[in-house]
Amino acid sequence: MFTKWCRAFPGLPDQVAEARHFVAALLQERSVADDAVLIVSELATNAVRHTLSGSAGGWFLVVVAFREDCVRLEVVDQGGDRAPLMRDAASQDLGGRGLVLVSACAKDWGVKDLPNGRAVWADLVRD
């Protein structure tokens, strides 16, 4: 059994900071807190920048699930034309390394297609 917390945010760039605060408050005093805040920041930024969540009236949802052996972070967005793609870390592009960071911090991560969007998730090993 696990405990799950979730919160919806307007699809605005300033709401990424609010998503970070939400996760930090839930994970205070845990060793995974810093990685969790980084991951949710990257996933929420991607939702706002690259999906319909960043359109007028858009939204994204942050889910934090405390499982027996891990903490699962999920950002549900409203979908878009392209699936999330992990770029080459050695690329000279100015951006596009968010999922590389997620992959480096998480035990595992992935994408789930949903009827009206998608969820990008990452698991962090608990103490």
Side-chain angles (χ1 to χ4, degrees), residues 107-121:
K107 170 184 160 190
D108 196 14
W109 73 278
V111 180
K112 291 188 297 190
D113 288 323
L114 303 171
N116 295 312
R118 72 176 63 97
V120 183
W121 58 268

Side-chain angles (χ1 to χ4, degrees), residues 85-98 100:
L85 174 68
M86 189 162 60
R87 303 252 171 103
D88 181 2
S91 170
Q92 296 299 313
D93 293 340
L94 293 177
R97 291 182 192 80
V100 173

Side-chain angles (χ1 to χ4, degrees), residues 41-106:
S41 183
E42 295 298 334
L43 298 182
T45 297
N46 285 352
V48 171
R49 291 184 69 194
H50 303 296
T51 76
L52 295 174
S53 294
S55 299
W59 55 268
F60 64 93
L61 179 72
V62 174
V63 181
V64 181
F66 296 92
R67 297 180 175 194
E68 188 174 313
D69 61 340
C70 72
V71 174
R72 174 163 285 188
L73 303 166
E74 242 180 292
V75 173
V76 178
D77 64 47
Q78 293 180 279
D81 294 337
R82 296 181 293 162
L85 174 68
M86 189 162 60
R87 303 252 171 103
D88 181 2
S91 170
Q92 296 299 313
D93 293 340
L94 293 177
R97 291 182 192 80
L99 291 178
V100 173
L101 292 172
V102 170
S103 178
C105 293

